[in-house]
Amino acid sequence: MRAGYRIASWAIALAVGLGGMAAASANPPERQEREALRVCADGNNLPFSNQAGEGFENRIAELMAEDLGVPLTYVWSPQVMGFVRNTLELRVCDVMIGAVAGYGFVQNTNAYYRSVYALVVPEDSELEVAGLGDPSLAGRRIGVVAETPPLVPLRRMGARVEGYPLMVDTRMRAPVRDAIEDVATGKTDGAVLWGPLAGYYASRQDPPLKVVPLVDDDTGTPLDYRITMGIRHGEVHWKDWINAFIERHQEEIDAILAEYHVPLLDRHGRLFDPQGEGGGS
């Protein structure tokens, strides 16, 4: 990974995968007519997407296709290094439903949600922290994905870090699911994971695990990210349409995300309930 996008890649790798270099040559003219909504996606990457259509990005893609009045099709590819190069840049698909804001290998739309890393612990855990600078983390075995933002402050506080790999083929491994199961079985005391992953997998344990979004962290570590849709550079009209779609359907998008237990932040960086007042990214 290049140093210039390392911070962004931490969130992307968990939320939407890593892309390749943008094409050096000039883009051909933007397509004006769309016979289908062609989505670039990972076929085995819940809670985001899978080939059975069970992820929240699948649900949002269905909403987009309905709004466009065209069929929905997918190009499936593991979201590892080269994902953008092998999908968007080859022009075999036209949008990736999740891309962290500022990710330079795509043109970002407006954000359609904002989330934050979260601590996952058993419901009866005595470990109660508001941020990664809490001294009670010292000596605790805490799961964290390699090279993600929580790693450094956890080590600084003396936590016994249990590492899980960042770059994996999702057809073969599910390190975040492993991290959650290790909390459930008591192998670790907790795990600090990207919010959408933490909320989804914690809710599927029996009994469910407790998810503590780290909105009050004061270590200066970048833990919350705005998530956009990613398209090719230069496609101005397509970006305008997607931005208008997000604005029209923000409440429906929020409701979908809430079904998957995604911790959602408002524009001020505070947690909000889509069923309550306000909302949006």
Side-chain angles (χ1 to χ4, degrees), residues 13-254:
L14 295 182
V16 296
L18 291 167
M21 287 295 292
S25 59
N27 289 327
E30 181 177 359
R31 298 172 64 219
Q32 298 300 315
E33 299 293 332
R34 299 186 185 277
E35 70 284 356
L37 175 63
R38 305 186 307 169
V39 175
C40 323
D42 191 317
N44 189 33
N45 193 28
L46 289 176
F48 307 104
S49 62
N50 71 359
Q51 292 191 41
E54 298 171 326
F56 64 73
E57 291 181 2
N58 296 111
R59 297 270 302 278
I60 294 168
E62 291 167 6
L63 195 61
M64 290 178 69
E66 181 181 355
D67 196 295
L68 270 172
V70 297
L72 171 62
T73 65
Y74 288 97
V75 171
W76 303 110
S77 178
Q79 289 189 334
V80 294
M81 190 69 72
F83 177 77
V84 171
R85 181 179 62 244
N86 295 327
T87 56
L88 276 178
E89 293 301 334
L90 287 181
R91 307 185 72 82
V92 295
C93 48
D94 302 313
V95 61
M96 45 191 295
I97 303 296
V100 72
Y103 182 43
F105 296 105
V106 299
Q107 178 180 196
N108 296 106
T109 67
N110 293 341
Y112 68 93
Y113 76 96
R114 181 179 180 184
S115 192
V116 64
Y117 276 80
L119 172 67
V120 179
V121 293
E123 188 62 43
D124 60 354
S125 173
E126 61 183 26
L127 184 61
E128 296 185 6
V129 303
L132 299 180
D134 195 306
S136 63
L137 290 167
R140 300 283 189 166
R141 186 174 292 280
I142 304 294
V144 63
V145 174
E147 298 188 62
T148 58
L151 181 61
V152 171
L154 284 171
R155 283 180 171 166
R156 187 183 297 131
M157 289 310 302
R160 298 163 60 201
V161 170
E162 181 75 23
Y164 301 85
L166 171 67
M167 298 291 289
V168 297
D169 185 333
T170 55
R171 295 170 298 187
M172 307 298 294
R173 301 189 65 179
V176 171
R177 184 178 61 200
D178 294 343
I180 292 288
E181 290 178 354
D182 285 347
V183 175
T185 61
K187 180 179 178 180
T188 57
D189 297 305
V192 180
L193 303 164
W194 174 229
L197 293 160
Y200 177 76
Y201 282 111
S203 71
R204 297 174 69 83
Q205 295 299 313
D206 186 17
L209 301 175
K210 182 166 64 175
V211 177
V212 183
L214 297 173
V215 292
D216 295 320
D217 181 77
D218 60 0
T219 64
T221 306
L223 295 179
D224 75 82
Y225 293 87
R226 292 177 172 86
I227 304 301
T228 73
M229 300 189 195
I231 62 175
R232 284 179 290 274
H233 291 283
E235 296 189 334
V236 178
H237 297 295
W238 186 216
K239 178 179 178 179
D240 287 345
W241 185 90
I242 295 175
N243 285 341
F245 163 81
I246 293 170
E247 184 175 1
R248 288 194 302 272
H249 294 280
Q250 186 66 69
E251 289 186 3
E252 293 163 272
I253 292 170
D254 290 343

